[in-house]
Amino acid sequence: MDFQQKARQIPVGKPGSVNKGGGKAAFRFLEHTADMGIEAQAPTCDEMFVQAGKAILALLAGHGKANCASREVMFDVAADDLEELLVVWLNELLYLIQAKRVWPQEIFLDGVHSGVLKARIEVVPLEGDLEREIKAVTYHHLLVSSRRGLWRARVYLDV
């Protein structure tokens, strides 16, 4: 089973907890010679940021310890524009997983306003090793846009 098949099996969130836009929220992987790219899309800016986070989780292909009580982690990240905010958000999520050794079960955004993203994440301890290491989120081919009621993001990862 390849990592994309495994990624589809990763449960993150309760049905309907993130995708409130009628099934338009999604992410996909992009081929690149040295890095891995992701595209995320959703009907709202907040949901697009959540989808980008879910793509990171799918690439890492980790999992949390079974039967452990979750705890809530809250943090704010800030940037001058949405593109930089996406990079900062995903790097913070990577730090949480790789350095703090916790696995997100739920991702909630309390909004993206005036260059600040407020996140609440339900986490459990990380079990075992991650299948892939992501060194950093890069600014290479970075894009965040909104067109015809659909938010899109593209970002490449140093793997």
Side-chain angles (χ1 to χ4, degrees):
M1 179 181 308
D2 70 8
F3 77 90
Q4 287 186 345
Q5 289 171 324
K6 287 181 183 178
R8 287 187 205 96
Q9 297 175 355
I10 297 173
V12 176
K14 297 179 178 117
S17 65
V18 172
N19 186 1
K20 297 175 183 150
K24 294 182 181 179
F27 65 83
R28 69 182 179 130
F29 302 108
L30 303 171
E31 297 290 330
H32 190 271
T33 55
D35 299 330
M36 171 67 75
I38 58 173
E39 282 185 349
Q41 67 179 32
T44 67
C45 183
D46 289 8
E47 288 181 51
M48 182 265 307
F49 274 85
V50 170
Q51 287 301 313
K54 285 184 173 186
I56 294 287
L57 298 179
L59 279 171
L60 292 172
H63 58 279
K65 288 187 179 178
N67 303 319
C68 281
S70 66
R71 66 181 174 90
E72 187 174 78
V73 175
M74 296 173 44
F75 58 85
D76 298 353
V77 292
D80 292 332
D81 56 42
L82 288 175
E83 288 85 1
E84 185 180 4
L85 191 60
L86 179 65
V87 172
V88 173
W89 152 243
L90 295 177
N91 276 322
E92 187 69 23
L93 188 60
L94 279 175
Y95 173 78
L96 183 68
I97 296 165
Q98 293 177 218
K100 299 292 187 177
R101 303 278 308 156
V102 295
W103 187 254
Q105 299 290 0
E106 298 268 0
I107 298 173
F108 302 99
L109 295 189
D110 293 333
V112 176
H113 305 288
S114 302
V116 177
L117 179 147
K118 295 179 179 286
R120 291 182 300 117
I121 302 176
E122 292 290 327
V123 299
V124 294
L126 182 64
E127 184 169 10
D129 294 325
L130 300 169
E131 285 193 27
R132 170 174 277 122
E133 179 185 351
I134 299 174
K135 297 174 191 168
V137 179
T138 73
Y139 289 87
H140 183 66
H141 291 298
L142 181 60
L143 174 72
V144 174
S145 66
S146 176
R147 186 171 160 226
R148 296 183 187 164
L150 192 62
W151 283 87
R152 296 177 194 265
R154 179 182 62 225
V155 66
Y156 280 84
L157 313 166
D158 183 5
V159 293

PDB file of all heavy atoms in Angstrom, residues 1-11 27 29 57-62 131:
ATOM      1  N   MET A   1       0.860  -1.172   0.000  1.00  0.00           N
ATOM      2  CA  MET A   1       0.000   0.000   0.000  1.00  0.00           C
ATOM      3  C   MET A   1       0.904   1.233   0.000  1.00  0.00           C
ATOM      4  O   MET A   1       1.782   1.356   0.836  1.00  0.00           O
ATOM      5  CB  MET A   1      -0.888  -0.027   1.242  1.00  0.00           C
ATOM      6  CG  MET A   1      -1.809   1.163   1.347  1.00  0.00           C
ATOM      7  SD  MET A   1      -2.867   1.202   2.824  1.00  0.00           S
ATOM      8  CE  MET A   1      -3.649  -0.373   2.825  1.00  0.00           C
ATOM      9  N   ASP A   2       0.705   2.154  -0.941  1.00  0.00           N
ATOM     10  CA  ASP A   2       1.535   3.359  -0.992  1.00  0.00           C
ATOM     11  C   ASP A   2       1.029   4.403   0.008  1.00  0.00           C
ATOM     12  O   ASP A   2      -0.029   4.258   0.602  1.00  0.00           O
ATOM     13  CB  ASP A   2       1.620   3.929  -2.408  1.00  0.00           C
ATOM     14  CG  ASP A   2       0.315   4.541  -2.911  1.00  0.00           C
ATOM     15  OD1 ASP A   2      -0.631   4.675  -2.105  1.00  0.00           O
ATOM     16  OD2 ASP A   2       0.250   4.888  -4.094  1.00  0.00           O
ATOM     17  N   PHE A   3       1.834   5.463   0.197  1.00  0.00           N
ATOM     18  CA  PHE A   3       1.492   6.441   1.234  1.00  0.00           C
ATOM     19  C   PHE A   3       0.208   7.195   0.914  1.00  0.00           C
ATOM     20  O   PHE A   3      -0.498   7.619   1.812  1.00  0.00           O
ATOM     21  CB  PHE A   3       2.654   7.397   1.515  1.00  0.00           C
ATOM     22  CG  PHE A   3       2.852   8.479   0.494  1.00  0.00           C
ATOM     23  CD1 PHE A   3       2.215   9.703   0.629  1.00  0.00           C
ATOM     24  CD2 PHE A   3       3.674   8.273  -0.591  1.00  0.00           C
ATOM     25  CE1 PHE A   3       2.403  10.697  -0.303  1.00  0.00           C
ATOM     26  CE2 PHE A   3       3.852   9.263  -1.530  1.00  0.00           C
ATOM     27  CZ  PHE A   3       3.218  10.464  -1.392  1.00  0.00           C
ATOM     28  N   GLN A   4      -0.131   7.384  -0.363  1.00  0.00           N
ATOM     29  CA  GLN A   4      -1.380   8.081  -0.683  1.00  0.00           C
ATOM     30  C   GLN A   4      -2.587   7.232  -0.304  1.00  0.00           C
ATOM     31  O   GLN A   4      -3.591   7.755   0.172  1.00  0.00           O
ATOM     32  CB  GLN A   4      -1.425   8.475  -2.148  1.00  0.00           C
ATOM     33  CG  GLN A   4      -0.494   9.622  -2.460  1.00  0.00           C
ATOM     34  CD  GLN A   4      -0.626  10.124  -3.882  1.00  0.00           C
ATOM     35  OE1 GLN A   4      -1.204   9.473  -4.725  1.00  0.00           O
ATOM     36  NE2 GLN A   4      -0.076  11.297  -4.119  1.00  0.00           N
ATOM     37  N   GLN A   5      -2.498   5.910  -0.479  1.00  0.00           N
ATOM     38  CA  GLN A   5      -3.585   5.036  -0.045  1.00  0.00           C
ATOM     39  C   GLN A   5      -3.713   5.068   1.472  1.00  0.00           C
ATOM     40  O   GLN A   5      -4.806   5.120   2.012  1.00  0.00           O
ATOM     41  CB  GLN A   5      -3.342   3.612  -0.535  1.00  0.00           C
ATOM     42  CG  GLN A   5      -3.514   3.458  -2.035  1.00  0.00           C
ATOM     43  CD  GLN A   5      -3.067   2.093  -2.517  1.00  0.00           C
ATOM     44  OE1 GLN A   5      -2.104   1.539  -2.010  1.00  0.00           O
ATOM     45  NE2 GLN A   5      -3.770   1.569  -3.495  1.00  0.00           N
ATOM     46  N   LYS A   6      -2.561   5.027   2.175  1.00  0.00           N
ATOM     47  CA  LYS A   6      -2.591   5.115   3.633  1.00  0.00           C
ATOM     48  C   LYS A   6      -3.167   6.452   4.085  1.00  0.00           C
ATOM     49  O   LYS A   6      -3.889   6.526   5.060  1.00  0.00           O
ATOM     50  CB  LYS A   6      -1.190   4.945   4.200  1.00  0.00           C
ATOM     51  CG  LYS A   6      -0.667   3.542   4.126  1.00  0.00           C
ATOM     52  CD  LYS A   6       0.718   3.457   4.736  1.00  0.00           C
ATOM     53  CE  LYS A   6       1.287   2.063   4.601  1.00  0.00           C
ATOM     54  NZ  LYS A   6       2.642   1.991   5.137  1.00  0.00           N
ATOM     55  N   ALA A   7      -2.830   7.521   3.375  1.00  0.00           N
ATOM     56  CA  ALA A   7      -3.291   8.854   3.753  1.00  0.00           C
ATOM     57  C   ALA A   7      -4.809   8.924   3.745  1.00  0.00           C
ATOM     58  O   ALA A   7      -5.411   9.595   4.574  1.00  0.00           O
ATOM     59  CB  ALA A   7      -2.703   9.905   2.814  1.00  0.00           C
ATOM     60  N   ARG A   8      -5.428   8.259   2.803  1.00  0.00           N
ATOM     61  CA  ARG A   8      -6.895   8.291   2.721  1.00  0.00           C
ATOM     62  C   ARG A   8      -7.544   7.599   3.911  1.00  0.00           C
ATOM     63  O   ARG A   8      -8.712   7.792   4.186  1.00  0.00           O
ATOM     64  CB  ARG A   8      -7.348   7.632   1.425  1.00  0.00           C
ATOM     65  CG  ARG A   8      -7.071   8.480   0.227  1.00  0.00           C
ATOM     66  CD  ARG A   8      -7.695   7.873  -1.035  1.00  0.00           C
ATOM     67  NE  ARG A   8      -6.964   8.331  -2.183  1.00  0.00           N
ATOM     68  CZ  ARG A   8      -5.980   7.664  -2.782  1.00  0.00           C
ATOM     69  NH1 ARG A   8      -5.621   6.482  -2.355  1.00  0.00           N
ATOM     70  NH2 ARG A   8      -5.358   8.162  -3.816  1.00  0.00           N
ATOM     71  N   GLN A   9      -6.784   6.755   4.617  1.00  0.00           N
ATOM     72  CA  GLN A   9      -7.327   6.007   5.735  1.00  0.00           C
ATOM     73  C   GLN A   9      -7.140   6.709   7.073  1.00  0.00           C
ATOM     74  O   GLN A   9      -7.615   6.229   8.084  1.00  0.00           O
ATOM     75  CB  GLN A   9      -6.660   4.634   5.801  1.00  0.00           C
ATOM     76  CG  GLN A   9      -6.943   3.790   4.584  1.00  0.00           C
ATOM     77  CD  GLN A   9      -6.177   2.482   4.616  1.00  0.00           C
ATOM     78  OE1 GLN A   9      -5.371   2.243   5.503  1.00  0.00           O
ATOM     79  NE2 GLN A   9      -6.425   1.633   3.646  1.00  0.00           N
ATOM     80  N   ILE A  10      -6.452   7.843   7.106  1.00  0.00           N
ATOM     81  CA  ILE A  10      -6.174   8.527   8.362  1.00  0.00           C
ATOM     82  C   ILE A  10      -7.412   9.278   8.824  1.00  0.00           C
ATOM     83  O   ILE A  10      -7.861  10.210   8.163  1.00  0.00           O
ATOM     84  CB  ILE A  10      -4.993   9.501   8.222  1.00  0.00           C
ATOM     85  CG1 ILE A  10      -3.718   8.730   7.880  1.00  0.00           C
ATOM     86  CG2 ILE A  10      -4.802  10.319   9.494  1.00  0.00           C
ATOM     87  CD1 ILE A  10      -2.548   9.610   7.555  1.00  0.00           C
ATOM     88  N   PRO A  11      -8.005   8.892   9.951  1.00  0.00           N
ATOM     89  CA  PRO A  11      -9.165   9.627  10.451  1.00  0.00           C
ATOM     90  C   PRO A  11      -8.719  10.895  11.174  1.00  0.00           C
ATOM     91  O   PRO A  11      -7.940  10.838  12.097  1.00  0.00           O
ATOM     92  CB  PRO A  11      -9.817   8.643  11.425  1.00  0.00           C
ATOM     93  CG  PRO A  11      -8.684   7.789  11.888  1.00  0.00           C
ATOM     94  CD  PRO A  11      -7.685   7.722  10.755  1.00  0.00           C
ATOM     95  N   PHE A  27      -7.474  18.124  -0.424  1.00  0.00           N
ATOM     96  CA  PHE A  27      -6.066  18.378  -0.664  1.00  0.00           C
ATOM     97  C   PHE A  27      -5.563  17.326  -1.626  1.00  0.00           C
ATOM     98  O   PHE A  27      -6.170  16.283  -1.804  1.00  0.00           O
ATOM     99  CB  PHE A  27      -5.239  18.394   0.631  1.00  0.00           C
ATOM    100  CG  PHE A  27      -5.181  17.084   1.363  1.00  0.00           C
ATOM    101  CD1 PHE A  27      -4.266  16.114   0.993  1.00  0.00           C
ATOM    102  CD2 PHE A  27      -6.024  16.833   2.419  1.00  0.00           C
ATOM    103  CE1 PHE A  27      -4.201  14.912   1.666  1.00  0.00           C
ATOM    104  CE2 PHE A  27      -5.975  15.633   3.103  1.00  0.00           C
ATOM    105  CZ  PHE A  27      -5.057  14.666   2.723  1.00  0.00           C
ATOM    106  N   PHE A  29      -1.515  15.823  -3.541  1.00  0.00           N
ATOM    107  CA  PHE A  29      -0.070  15.879  -3.527  1.00  0.00           C
ATOM    108  C   PHE A  29       0.438  16.293  -4.898  1.00  0.00           C
ATOM    109  O   PHE A  29      -0.143  15.939  -5.918  1.00  0.00           O
ATOM    110  CB  PHE A  29       0.517  14.523  -3.143  1.00  0.00           C
ATOM    111  CG  PHE A  29       0.042  14.049  -1.800  1.00  0.00           C
ATOM    112  CD1 PHE A  29      -0.851  13.003  -1.688  1.00  0.00           C
ATOM    113  CD2 PHE A  29       0.467  14.681  -0.646  1.00  0.00           C
ATOM    114  CE1 PHE A  29      -1.306  12.587  -0.445  1.00  0.00           C
ATOM    115  CE2 PHE A  29       0.027  14.274   0.594  1.00  0.00           C
ATOM    116  CZ  PHE A  29      -0.863  13.224   0.699  1.00  0.00           C
ATOM    117  N   LEU A  57      -0.535  15.964   7.836  1.00  0.00           N
ATOM    118  CA  LEU A  57      -0.755  14.747   8.618  1.00  0.00           C
ATOM    119  C   LEU A  57      -0.727  13.519   7.716  1.00  0.00           C
ATOM    120  O   LEU A  57      -0.149  12.488   8.077  1.00  0.00           O
ATOM    121  CB  LEU A  57      -2.093  14.814   9.357  1.00  0.00           C
ATOM    122  CG  LEU A  57      -2.258  15.931  10.384  1.00  0.00           C
ATOM    123  CD1 LEU A  57      -3.645  15.867  11.004  1.00  0.00           C
ATOM    124  CD2 LEU A  57      -1.185  15.875  11.438  1.00  0.00           C
ATOM    125  N   ALA A  58      -1.331  13.615   6.555  1.00  0.00           N
ATOM    126  CA  ALA A  58      -1.353  12.482   5.629  1.00  0.00           C
ATOM    127  C   ALA A  58       0.054  12.134   5.149  1.00  0.00           C
ATOM    128  O   ALA A  58       0.397  10.959   5.020  1.00  0.00           O
ATOM    129  CB  ALA A  58      -2.265  12.801   4.449  1.00  0.00           C
ATOM    130  N   LEU A  59       0.874  13.136   4.891  1.00  0.00           N
ATOM    131  CA  LEU A  59       2.250  12.881   4.454  1.00  0.00           C
ATOM    132  C   LEU A  59       3.094  12.259   5.560  1.00  0.00           C
ATOM    133  O   LEU A  59       3.898  11.369   5.306  1.00  0.00           O
ATOM    134  CB  LEU A  59       2.906  14.174   3.972  1.00  0.00           C
ATOM    135  CG  LEU A  59       2.566  14.592   2.559  1.00  0.00           C
ATOM    136  CD1 LEU A  59       3.098  15.992   2.284  1.00  0.00           C
ATOM    137  CD2 LEU A  59       3.140  13.603   1.565  1.00  0.00           C
ATOM    138  N   LEU A  60       2.930  12.734   6.774  1.00  0.00           N
ATOM    139  CA  LEU A  60       3.697  12.185   7.894  1.00  0.00           C
ATOM    140  C   LEU A  60       3.272  10.751   8.207  1.00  0.00           C
ATOM    141  O   LEU A  60       4.086   9.950   8.645  1.00  0.00           O
ATOM    142  CB  LEU A  60       3.534  13.055   9.135  1.00  0.00           C
ATOM    143  CG  LEU A  60       4.159  14.447   9.067  1.00  0.00           C
ATOM    144  CD1 LEU A  60       3.742  15.264  10.278  1.00  0.00           C
ATOM    145  CD2 LEU A  60       5.673  14.361   8.966  1.00  0.00           C
ATOM    146  N   ALA A  61       2.005  10.451   7.983  1.00  0.00           N
ATOM    147  CA  ALA A  61       1.441   9.112   8.176  1.00  0.00           C
ATOM    148  C   ALA A  61       1.740   8.554   9.564  1.00  0.00           C
ATOM    149  O   ALA A  61       2.125   7.398   9.719  1.00  0.00           O
ATOM    150  CB  ALA A  61       1.917   8.161   7.077  1.00  0.00           C
ATOM    151  N   GLY A  62       1.552   9.363  10.575  1.00  0.00           N
ATOM    152  CA  GLY A  62       1.716   8.900  11.947  1.00  0.00           C
ATOM    153  C   GLY A  62       0.363   8.539  12.537  1.00  0.00           C
ATOM    154  O   GLY A  62      -0.656   8.548  11.845  1.00  0.00           O
ATOM    155  N   GLU A 131       6.210   7.936   9.316  1.00  0.00           N
ATOM    156  CA  GLU A 131       6.682   7.267   8.109  1.00  0.00           C
ATOM    157  C   GLU A 131       7.550   8.173   7.245  1.00  0.00           C
ATOM    158  O   GLU A 131       8.342   7.708   6.454  1.00  0.00           O
ATOM    159  CB  GLU A 131       5.507   6.744   7.291  1.00  0.00           C
ATOM    160  CG  GLU A 131       4.891   5.508   7.894  1.00  0.00           C
ATOM    161  CD  GLU A 131       3.957   4.802   6.952  1.00  0.00           C
ATOM    162  OE1 GLU A 131       4.124   4.903   5.718  1.00  0.00           O
ATOM    163  OE2 GLU A 131       3.043   4.154   7.465  1.00  0.00           O
TER     164      GLU A 131
END
